[in-house]
Amino acid sequence: MPTFDDLLQEVGAFGRCQKRIFAILCLLSLPFAGVYVGIVFQGFTPDHWCRDPAAVQWRRTCGRSLTDGRTLTAPVVNRSGVPQPSSCEQYEVDWNSTELGCGTGEPDLSGNPVSACKNGWEYDYEGRKSFVTEFDLVCSDGWLVDMYQSTLSAGNLAGSFAFGYFADRFGRKLSFLMSNILNAISGIVLAVAPNYISILVSRVILGFGVKGGWMACYVLLTEIVGVEYRRTVGILFQMFFSVGVLFLPLLAYYITDWRWLQITFSAPYILFLSYYWFIPESPRWLISQNNSSKALEITEAIAKENKTKLLNKSEKLTEDEGDSPTASLLDLVRTPRMRKHTFILMFNWFTSSVVYQGLIMRVGIAGGNVYVDFLISGLVEFPAAFLILLTIERVGRRLPFAAANIVAGASCFITACVPDSMFWFKTVVACIGRLGITMAFEMVVFVNTELYPTFVRNLGVSVCSTLCDVGGIVAPFLLYRLAAVWLELPLIIFGAVAVVAGGLVLLLPETKGLPLPETIEDIEFPDRKKETSATPQMKNLLKSDEETTV
C-alpha cells in the first residue's frame, strides 16, 4: 500500500498549496514573540525611589527636577559597589521643623534615621506605564515581576502535554482553533484585568493556549511537506519568531501603555480564527486515525492547488512513521545510550531556554536605551537560521550545535568582564552570545528528533522539551534576583551552563547522512545499523560488477 510520502512525490513535496499554508502559519510566530518576551517592555522597572509628599510638593512649587527630589529624600547606598540613591528606603523627616524653601539650599538629612517607603514610589519613566509602575512591583514586591514570566512558562508546560494529547486525539486543525480562542480571550482579559492576581491567572491560561497552538502549527507544517523539506520548513518557521522580536521594540516605543501593548499582541489571534477555513487537517493524522478517504480527499485538493495530478488514488494508505502504543517513559532511560541521549537533551533544552530568555530580559535592566539595545540584539538572531542551514549538511549536527552553546557561554563570560566604558565592544560580544544561543535553541528541536527511534520519537521530544518550560520558570528569578546582588552575576551563571551544555553535546553521536533509527537496538548498537544498511549497497555493487564482466 502507498504511504502519504509516496503521494507527496506526485502532488508536490512543497508546492503552491504548502507554500501558502507555510506563509500564513508563519504569521502566528509574530504575536507569539510579544507574548513570550514582551515582559522586557510591559514589565520594565524604571528608576524609582520613595515618594515623600512634602518633597513632591516642594519640587512642584519650586520647579525642581525629579533628580533633586530624589536626592533630597533618598539615602545613598552601595549597589554592586557603586554609590547611588536608594530605591527602597527614605529619610525619616519632620518637615514641620525642617526648613525647606525655594530660595534656600537643600537641608543635610544624612544624619536622619532611615525607613522603608511609606507612601509609594515615584518613577522616572517619561509618562510611560508598565505593570510595575501601575502596581508598584518594586523592592519587597519585585519578585512578583518574576512571577509574570514564570506563570507563562507554567502555562506552556501544561499546554505542551495537554495540546500534545489533544492534537493526537482530535487533530491538528481543531487544536489550532481551540488555542486561538484561548489566546484571544485570555490575552484581552489580561489587558483589562483589575488586579495583579487576575493578571497572573490570565498569563497561565495564555501560556497554556499559545504554546499549544504554536506546536500544532509546527507539527502540521512538517506533516504536509516532503521529507526533504521538513527540516528547512521547521527552521524557517522558528525564524519568524525572530521577526516578531524585531518588531517588538518598535511597537513598544509608540505604544506607551502596557495594557494597549497587550491588546496589540492579542488582537491577531482573533484574525487567526479565520485560518480554520484556509488550512487543511493533516493527512498524516487522518491516516493514523484510519480515515484514508478523507486524507485522500485533502491530498487531491493539494494536488489541484499545486496544478498537479494524483495518479495513485488507492483508498488504503499507510503511514510508516506511526508511534507504537507500547511506547513508555521507561523506554527513554532503560538502556545506556538512550539514557545518555535523554539527559543530555533535557539539559540542553533547559539551558537554551534559561540563557535565551535571560539574555533577552537582561536588556531591560542593563541600563542602556532599552529600545535600541533590544532592536540590535534582535537583528543578530536572523543569521542563526541561515548558519544552521549552511552547516548541518556540510559539517554535521554535533559540531555546530556544540559550538553554538560554547560560543554563547564564552560570550556571556566576556560580557560580564568587559567594563561599561567599552560599551560597543560589550554590545558586540553580547550580540554574538545571543546569536549562539539562538542557534542552539533552534538546533535542539530537530537534533532531538534524530536521536530517538520511531516508536518513541514524539514522546522523547515532548518529554525533553518540557525542560524548556522549566527553564522558562527559573529564568526570571535567576536573572532579576541575582542581578540585585551584582548586575553581571546572571551572565556568569548563563555562561557556565551554556559551556557545560556544549561539552555534553560532543558526547552525542553524529546523525548527518544516517537514516532515522527505528528501534532502540539501532540506538544501542549503531554499528549493526550501518552494516545492515551497507549490505544491500554491497550486493548491488557486486551485482553491477558481475553484469559488467558478462
Side-chain angles (χ1 to χ4, degrees):
M1 289 185 290
T3 67
F4 181 65
D5 282 324
D6 295 331
L7 300 188
L8 275 181
Q9 296 304 314
E10 293 185 26
V11 305
F14 191 53
R16 180 178 177 180
C17 179
Q18 290 99 323
K19 290 175 182 176
R20 174 183 61 81
I21 297 169
F22 172 71
I24 63 175
L25 288 184
C26 279
L27 296 178
L28 190 83
S29 288
L30 301 181
F32 182 41
V35 172
Y36 195 60
V37 296
I39 186 176
V40 174
F41 303 102
Q42 292 180 297
F44 184 72
T45 303
D47 285 341
H48 55 280
W49 56 92
C50 298
R51 185 180 187 276
D52 190 312
V56 172
Q57 184 61 41
W58 167 78
R59 176 167 55 81
R60 291 174 179 172
T61 301
C62 301
R64 305 297 287 268
S65 67
L66 283 170
T67 303
D68 292 335
R70 181 177 189 179
T71 304
L72 179 66
T73 59
V76 175
V77 296
N78 283 324
R79 184 186 178 191
S80 301
V82 179
Q84 55 185 306
S86 174
S87 298
C88 303
E89 295 177 324
Q90 67 180 72
Y91 289 120
E92 291 188 3
V93 184
D94 180 5
W95 292 110
N96 293 323
S97 60
T98 302
E99 185 178 352
L100 187 63
C102 295
T104 62
E106 297 172 9
D108 182 8
L109 304 176
S110 57
N112 287 44
V114 173
S115 67
C117 300
K118 299 176 180 178
N119 299 288
W121 286 263
E122 287 192 275
Y123 300 95
D124 185 9
Y125 200 29
E126 300 176 348
R128 294 176 176 271
K129 183 184 287 186
S130 69
F131 63 76
V132 173
T133 64
E134 181 176 336
F135 296 102
D136 286 333
L137 304 181
V138 293
C139 298
S140 61
D141 289 332
W143 64 276
L144 289 171
V145 180
D146 312 351
M147 286 295 295
Y148 184 82
Q149 190 70 6
S150 294
T151 50
L152 180 79
S153 296
N156 288 166
L157 182 60
S160 296
F161 284 107
F163 273 92
Y165 170 79
F166 195 85
D168 285 340
R169 180 69 178 83
F170 301 103
R172 286 51 166 143
K173 188 174 177 178
L174 186 58
S175 296
F176 176 73
L177 176 67
M178 295 302 299
S179 166
N180 284 308
I181 292 174
L182 279 177
N183 296 340
I185 294 174
S186 60
I188 292 174
V189 168
L190 194 159
V192 299
N195 55 64
Y196 201 62
I197 297 299
S198 57
I199 285 174
L200 295 182
V201 172
S202 300
R203 283 283 281 182
V204 173
I205 299 172
L206 181 59
F208 182 87
V210 76
K211 180 70 175 290
W214 193 86
M215 287 176 58
C217 282
Y218 185 91
V219 172
L220 177 61
L221 279 174
T222 57
E223 288 183 339
I224 63 171
V225 301
V227 176
E228 65 272 28
Y229 290 98
R230 287 182 195 171
R231 190 173 295 114
T232 302
V233 164
I235 292 172
L236 292 179
F237 179 67
Q238 294 179 75
M239 192 185 74
F240 271 81
F241 177 89
S242 299
V243 177
V245 169
L246 194 62
F247 279 109
L248 184 55
L250 302 178
L251 286 173
Y253 182 79
Y254 290 104
I255 303 175
T256 58
D257 190 314
W258 76 271
R259 291 184 182 273
W260 282 107
L261 193 58
Q262 178 60 43
I263 290 176
T264 304
F265 299 155
S266 305
Y269 290 107
I270 299 175
L271 174 65
F272 294 152
L273 291 173
S274 65
Y275 282 15
Y276 188 78
W277 291 275
F278 295 103
I279 61 174
E281 180 55 86
S282 167
R284 292 183 191 275
W285 177 78
L286 290 168
I287 294 169
S288 72
Q289 300 298 304
N290 298 317
N291 194 350
S292 296
S293 59
K294 182 64 176 177
L296 189 63
E297 179 184 328
I298 293 174
T299 306
E300 290 177 334
I302 293 174
K304 182 178 180 181
E305 189 171 346
N306 287 348
K307 297 183 178 179
T308 58
K309 289 185 178 181
L310 182 62
L311 301 178
N312 191 347
K313 295 187 178 182
S314 172
E315 290 292 329
K316 293 293 184 180
L317 296 172
T318 62
E319 182 51 56
D320 56 6
E321 294 185 3
D323 285 351
S324 167
T326 61
S328 72
L329 288 173
L330 286 178
D331 291 323
L332 304 180
V333 295
R334 184 181 289 116
T335 54
R337 287 181 182 267
M338 288 281 287
R339 183 163 54 246
K340 180 181 72 172
H341 294 177
T342 298
F343 290 149
I344 291 175
L345 288 167
M346 290 172 78
F347 186 76
N348 269 270
W349 275 103
F350 176 83
T351 299
S352 296
S353 177
V354 166
V355 179
Y356 182 80
Q357 285 196 57
L359 289 181
I360 288 182
M361 291 187 293
R362 185 182 179 275
V363 174
I365 64 172
N369 186 313
V370 65
Y371 303 98
V372 174
D373 292 349
F374 196 96
L375 184 64
I376 293 173
S377 62
L379 283 170
V380 302
E381 290 196 7
F382 283 93
F386 297 108
L387 285 173
I388 293 171
L389 294 174
L390 284 173
T391 57
I392 58 174
E393 297 302 336
R394 293 173 173 81
V395 180
R397 281 76 158 136
R398 184 172 56 183
L399 288 179
F401 190 13
N405 274 297
I406 293 171
V407 167
S411 298
C412 288
F413 286 132
I414 296 171
T415 303
C417 297
V418 173
D420 291 337
S421 58
M422 302 176 66
F423 172 75
W424 283 110
F425 179 68
K426 187 166 186 154
T427 300
V428 169
V429 175
C431 287
I432 293 174
R434 178 78 170 271
L435 172 64
I437 200 62
T438 301
M439 280 189 65
F441 213 160
E442 292 181 1
M443 289 195 71
V444 70
V445 181
F446 68 83
V447 169
N448 204 150
T449 64
E450 295 181 339
L451 288 174
Y452 283 114
T454 299
F455 80 101
V456 290
R457 187 168 297 127
N458 287 346
L459 179 65
V461 174
S462 297
V463 170
C464 292
S465 64
T466 58
L467 270 291
C468 169
D469 299 317
V470 174
I473 295 172
V474 171
F477 289 97
L478 193 62
L479 175 74
Y480 295 128
R481 297 313 104 203
L482 292 181
V485 179
W486 176 38
L487 183 61
E488 310 296 0
L489 183 56
L491 287 178
I492 302 297
I493 305 299
F494 297 156
V497 296
V499 169
V500 171
L504 290 174
V505 168
L506 294 174
L507 300 178
L508 295 174
E510 177 56 69
T511 57
K512 174 195 169 188
L514 297 178
L516 291 176
E518 298 174 2
T519 65
I520 291 179
E521 187 179 52
D522 293 340
I523 299 291
E524 296 300 321
F525 306 101
D527 291 338
R528 293 183 186 176
K529 181 76 173 179
K530 293 177 183 177
E531 291 173 3
T532 303
S533 60
T535 300
Q537 297 176 4
M538 184 62 69
K539 288 180 178 179
N540 289 335
L541 182 62
L542 291 173
K543 183 178 179 181
S544 176
D545 288 343
E546 291 174 359
E547 291 175 350
T548 303
T549 304
V550 174

